[in-house]
Amino acid sequence: MFLTGAEILIKSLLDEGVDTIFGYPGGAVLNIYDELYKYREKITHILTAHEQGASHAADGYARATGKVGVCLATSGPGATNLVTGIATAYMDSIPMVAITGNVTKQLLGKDSFQEVDITGITMPVTKHNYIVKDVNDLQRIVREAFYIAQEGRPGPVLIDIPKDITAAKAIYEPIVPKKIERRTKYITDEALETVAKLINESENPFIYAGGGIVAAGAYEELKEIVNKINSPIATSLMAISSFPYDHPLYTGMIGMHGSKVSNILTSKCDLLITLGARFSDRVINNQNHIKNAKIIHIDVDPAEINKNIKVDAFIIGDLKIVLQKLILLLKEKKNDDWIKKMNELKSLSIKETSETGELTPEFLFRKLSELDDGSFVLSTEVGQHQMWAAQYFDYKTPRTFISSGGLGTMGYGLGASIGAQMALKDKTVFNIAGDGSFGMNCNELATAVKNNLPVKVIIVNNNSLGMVRQWQNFFYEGRYSSTTLNRSTDFVKLVEAFGGKGYRVFEKEELVPVLKNALEYDGPVVIDYVIHNDKKVFPMVAPGAPINEIICEEDV
């Protein structure tokens, strides 16, 4: 059948199983929005307050479900407003398809009104991008874009469509999406046997699991290998929630703000087993920090092997498949002395909890964890509150921690929480924010209220840009340049102005009743949780320092 480009686009999205799009209309995408109106019973369009909010919402939708998140914007500034969200998804390997309109083909390259070379701009932060110059290519391109976004190491793909392409006509035939096959081409018996030999011979193995575990859905395989070889395990920020928080071999997060146990064991192990992680500079950025260990790296992306850290053995392939095959070659191990060492470090790291009247991040997340019946999902902005959310909340199921890791995007969390809440209607989504981050994209409260999304925002309010202030305290002799906010914003009145509900917490005894009230309220809530601006994130490893040179609260 002959259809317009706009009709082909919407039908192709339906072929791919798309049920939700986050976006903002404009002149170059009017034909697309006209078709969305006609198909509004099949595809829900969420009008965000800003295009950046749309890209973060698509990202949050994808992280919460593992499906492709979709966002849509017009040409020029509409398209460029998506770029931060696209880059966020790229850095954390999140499947997303971003669709942008552009001026008509004859106006391209002429500095036309609201024209920008969005494919040129996004080339470094997409897995692939397209500009559609022939309507006959549109259906194929949409199909390819969704495949590329999901296959192998996931990531964002951009499709730029000039306005005349959305009006032109071509033949459309319904096509079943190409099945996503797990990458197994380079999983060889030789590589498996080499890795298995190193693991079987090790006496002090340590597992460092990254976001690849989440992307591959390799949760059960990870537990099986941990239990079989009796190895302590730490997760990167991107793998938080992928492994049971209460497992006796779990040592918490690894890296700059990782647990003391995780960081010390990394420096003491004789074998570091790295699964779906990329040796970020916020985790391990110097070979000398782990010079006593042999290193195994298993990852789906060959470009990551030996990129940041030289390894002794590696396997390239889908983590779920690799671990399934590897487990069969591994011997059951006890590692009694090593486990004893881990437990000693754990006991020494137990911190006395203060029951004074002062509000603390620990208290917040302890009470939040106690109320969680397994239905809570936490998104975060970026900063101290993000680290506290990673350190102190008890995540009970996978894909319940949604956060910008690689790019560290302030203003990410509220949009992401909207995307997650749209995807997980039976869950309760909390956005953990700092007062600085929240100020960047708080306009998305309008989106939450308009769509009656019961997102609960907790602002850990320290009247400062807390993480930057912490660095100024440690490394700049306390010169707090532009990090003390001293704003007069009343967050309770702000959310009420948008049409939501607001609470403020100054005392410990106020917190649980406020949380319960927030949970009972069927709509967006903002809780202003006020803490002291000198509260810091511990432990901490200084930038560039060895991973076992840990700054603890008692050291300061």
Side-chain angles (χ1 to χ4, degrees):
M1 67 183 91
F2 271 91
L3 299 177
T4 66
E7 290 174 299
I8 290 170
L9 173 64
I10 300 305
K11 285 190 174 290
S12 298
L13 293 177
L14 287 169
D15 289 343
E16 296 291 339
V18 173
D19 55 19
T20 307
I21 295 176
F22 306 90
Y24 204 101
V29 288
L30 279 175
N31 293 331
I32 297 171
Y33 270 87
D34 194 48
E35 289 306 315
L36 279 172
Y37 180 84
K38 297 172 187 176
Y39 284 87
R40 61 190 182 278
E41 300 299 323
K42 293 186 177 181
I43 297 180
T44 300
H45 177 270
I46 300 298
L47 173 64
T48 55
H50 190 283
E51 290 91 353
Q52 188 179 136
S55 60
H56 293 328
D59 178 300
Y61 180 98
R63 293 189 202 229
T65 62
K67 295 164 62 177
V68 178
V70 182
C71 55
L72 171 62
T74 193
S75 61
T80 57
N81 283 341
L82 293 179
V83 172
T84 297
I86 293 170
T88 300
Y90 181 77
M91 288 290 281
D92 291 343
S93 305
I94 305 303
M96 177 196 291
V97 170
I99 301 165
T100 55
N102 214 327
V103 299
T104 57
K105 284 190 299 179
Q106 67 267 28
L107 293 177
L108 289 172
K110 297 182 178 180
D111 295 331
S112 306
F113 177 69
Q114 289 194 334
E115 180 205 356
V116 73
D117 177 12
I118 194 62
T119 54
I121 289 170
T122 59
M123 189 174 291
V125 291
T126 51
K127 277 187 77 176
H128 194 66
N129 64 22
Y130 300 87
I131 180 165
V132 184
K133 296 199 174 175
D134 185 337
V135 68
N136 293 290
D137 294 331
L138 180 57
Q139 186 178 8
R140 171 187 60 80
I141 285 172
V142 173
R143 188 183 186 205
E144 285 180 9
F146 274 82
Y147 182 80
I148 291 168
Q150 298 171 87
E151 194 275 333
R153 180 178 183 170
V157 178
L158 179 131
I159 307 172
D160 190 38
I161 312 175
K163 187 173 182 179
D164 51 337
I165 297 296
T166 65
K169 288 192 172 184
I171 292 176
Y172 161 81
E173 295 289 347
I175 297 176
V176 176
K178 186 177 178 183
K179 186 179 179 183
I180 305 297
E181 300 285 352
R182 293 179 180 269
R183 284 191 184 178
T184 59
K185 181 179 179 181
Y186 300 109
I187 306 174
T188 65
D189 290 341
E190 182 183 3
L192 286 163
E193 287 166 5
T194 299
V195 166
K197 185 173 186 292
L198 286 172
I199 295 173
N200 288 332
E201 291 177 352
S202 71
E203 296 179 358
N204 305 325
F206 190 73
I207 294 174
Y208 156 34
I213 293 291
V214 179
Y219 316 114
E220 294 304 317
E221 290 79 7
L222 179 60
K223 278 191 281 189
E224 190 172 348
I225 196 170
V226 166
N227 291 332
K228 189 166 188 178
I229 69 172
N230 211 34
S231 169
I233 171 175
T235 55
S236 72
L237 183 72
M238 288 294 92
I240 294 289
S241 83
S242 68
F243 194 81
Y245 76 95
D246 54 355
H247 192 289
L249 293 171
Y250 184 52
T251 62
M253 191 167 66
I254 184 174
M256 177 175 282
H257 294 294
S259 74
K260 193 171 183 178
V261 182
S262 296
N263 288 359
I264 290 176
L265 291 180
T266 302
S267 67
K268 299 292 184 183
C269 68
D270 64 4
L271 180 67
L272 183 64
I273 306 165
T274 306
L275 307 175
R278 58 186 178 85
F279 296 103
S280 159
D281 59 292
R282 289 297 175 100
V283 180
I284 303 168
N285 69 342
N286 192 316
Q287 192 90 24
N288 293 329
H289 301 173
I290 43 175
K291 59 186 176 183
N292 296 321
K294 291 187 176 180
I295 303 170
I296 292 168
H297 193 182
I298 302 174
D299 203 282
V300 75
D301 185 356
E304 291 298 339
I305 305 299
N306 292 320
K307 185 178 85 174
N308 294 329
I309 296 287
K310 184 172 174 55
V311 300
D312 298 279
F314 62 86
I315 303 174
I316 298 167
D318 181 87
L319 263 177
K320 192 176 183 74
I321 303 300
V322 171
L323 294 183
Q324 287 172 353
K325 292 177 178 291
L326 186 60
I327 286 163
L328 301 175
L329 303 176
L330 297 178
K331 299 174 184 176
E332 292 201 10
K333 297 164 66 70
K334 296 292 185 183
N335 305 320
D336 291 335
D337 291 341
W338 183 231
I339 300 305
K340 182 181 177 183
K341 174 73 171 174
M342 177 196 73
N343 288 327
E344 286 173 353
L345 287 169
K346 279 188 174 184
S347 65
L348 290 171
S349 298
I350 294 174
K351 185 179 175 183
E352 293 289 332
T353 56
S354 170
E355 294 303 329
T356 64
E358 182 186 43
L359 291 179
T360 63
E362 298 95 323
F363 181 76
L364 168 63
F365 291 108
R366 185 167 78 246
K367 293 304 177 184
L368 200 58
S369 296
E370 290 171 1
L371 290 173
D372 182 17
D373 60 0
S375 67
F376 289 5
V377 176
L378 269 60
S379 68
T380 80
E381 307 289 349
V382 169
Q384 288 178 314
H385 59 278
Q386 176 190 30
M387 296 298 106
W388 290 322
Q391 291 173 334
Y392 297 132
F393 186 75
D394 298 334
Y395 296 90
K396 298 175 175 65
T397 53
R399 291 193 179 275
T400 52
F401 178 73
I402 296 172
S403 191
S404 169
L407 199 64
T409 305
M410 292 176 69
Y412 164 84
L414 184 53
S417 70
I418 287 168
Q421 190 70 79
M422 279 298 301
L424 307 173
K425 293 182 172 60
D426 59 336
K427 302 284 188 182
T428 302
V429 181
F430 284 86
N431 178 40
I432 309 301
D435 46 327
S437 284
F438 183 70
M440 289 190 166
N441 280 333
C442 61
N443 51 352
E444 294 305 334
L445 284 173
T447 308
V449 171
K450 166 82 183 303
N451 294 279
N452 198 34
L453 297 173
V455 170
K456 318 302 179 189
V457 180
I458 302 177
I459 302 173
V460 185
N461 184 354
N462 58 5
N463 189 39
S464 68
L465 303 178
M467 187 63 85
V468 186
R469 189 179 194 277
Q470 178 169 328
W471 280 44
Q472 287 172 336
N473 181 272
F474 285 162
F475 310 122
Y476 294 87
E477 299 177 345
R479 293 185 292 276
Y480 301 125
S481 177
S482 299
T483 51
T484 302
L485 296 177
N486 283 334
R487 291 171 178 166
S488 300
T489 309
D490 185 324
F491 294 118
V492 173
K493 289 182 179 178
L494 179 67
V495 67
E496 289 173 349
F498 277 108
K501 190 83 170 172
Y503 298 93
R504 185 170 290 109
V505 176
F506 283 117
E507 306 293 340
K508 281 189 169 181
E509 58 268 21
E510 297 172 337
L511 177 61
V512 171
V514 163
L515 288 173
K516 288 181 177 178
N517 287 340
L519 290 167
E520 290 171 3
Y521 182 71
D522 189 24
V525 174
V526 170
I527 300 170
D528 186 9
Y529 185 81
V530 183
I531 68 170
H532 197 279
N533 62 6
D534 273 334
K535 186 67 180 172
K536 296 179 176 62
V537 180
F538 293 107
M540 179 178 180
V541 177
I547 194 169
N548 61 338
E549 288 188 8
I550 303 159
I551 304 169
C552 296
E553 189 167 6
E554 56 269 25
D555 300 326
V556 177

